[in-house]
Structure formats: C-alpha cells, structure tokens
Amino acid sequence: MAKKTVSTDILLANIIKGIEEVKGNDIEILDLRDINTAVCDYFVICSGTSNTQVNAIVNSVQKMVSKELKDKPWHVEGTDNAEWVLMDYVSIVVHVFQKEIREYYNIEGLWGDAKITSISNKY
C-alpha cells in the first residue's frame, strides 16, 4: 500500500500549530522552493527557553502531525541534549533551538535567499 502523501501546506500548518501549542518562540518559515540547492521546500525554525521546552515543542509537533495527518517525521535528531533538534518531514525540516544555539548557528543568515515569514506569538 502506497503511503498517503500529505499536502505540504497542511503539514506546515500543523507543525506551526504544534509549536504554538507549547508556546515556542520566534517562529520563522523559510521558503526554500526557489533555491536550486535546497534539500526541502521549507525550514521551520523556532526557539525554546530550555531543553525541557525544546523537547516539549518536538513532542507537540509530532503529536499534532500524527493525530491530524497520520504522518511522522522521517528522521529526528538532537533530542538527547535538546539544544538543537532537527525533525525531517522530507518536504519540511523543523529546527527547534535553544535561543543561544540558534543565534550561534544563524540558519536564517545562511539561507539569506529564502523568503522568510515570521509568525508572531499570540501570548
């Protein structure tokens, strides 16, 4: 049986919802579709205030996507120290950082050609 493909837009909406559910900070969507060397369509980047919150964000995103779309990440890494967790949903890669680590690696700066959309926090 072939795996049901989920619309990237619906997946993106559910990832954002999962991040917001546990108050992830500074959510940014990097649209990489016009960049030839990009390995996916979007990066979603957000910050947590501690390793506990970073893991809570990761768990919330996984639960939201699993519940709503019956999908799970192809790969997750970084949960052991929870300073930078990467969740690979193939068309979307989610980066959940602690603030200082995010500033250090500056992924937004590395992908300066991407269209960046900031999601304002509601709280």
Side-chain angles (χ1 to χ4, degrees), residues 41-95:
D41 292 339
Y42 295 97
F43 278 170
V44 175
I45 304 172
C46 69
S47 302
T49 55
S50 65
N51 54 354
T52 304
Q53 188 186 22
V54 166
N55 278 326
I57 292 167
V58 170
N59 291 336
S60 178
V61 168
Q62 286 180 312
K63 277 186 201 152
M64 185 68 63
V65 171
S66 176
K67 182 178 138 202
E68 297 295 325
L69 306 175
K70 309 291 185 258
D71 199 4
K72 61 184 183 188
W74 176 71
H75 184 71
V76 177
E77 63 183 65
T79 54
D80 289 346
N81 65 4
E83 292 178 345
W84 175 4
V85 177
L86 182 142
M87 305 171 71
D88 186 348
Y89 281 96
V90 183
S91 63
I92 300 173
V93 175
V94 183
H95 300 269

Side-chain angles (χ1 to χ4, degrees), residues 25-41:
N25 299 311
D26 305 319
I27 305 167
E28 292 191 325
I29 302 166
L30 278 63
D31 184 342
L32 308 172
R33 292 175 295 179
D34 292 336
I35 300 173
N36 293 337
T37 56
V39 295
C40 61
D41 292 339

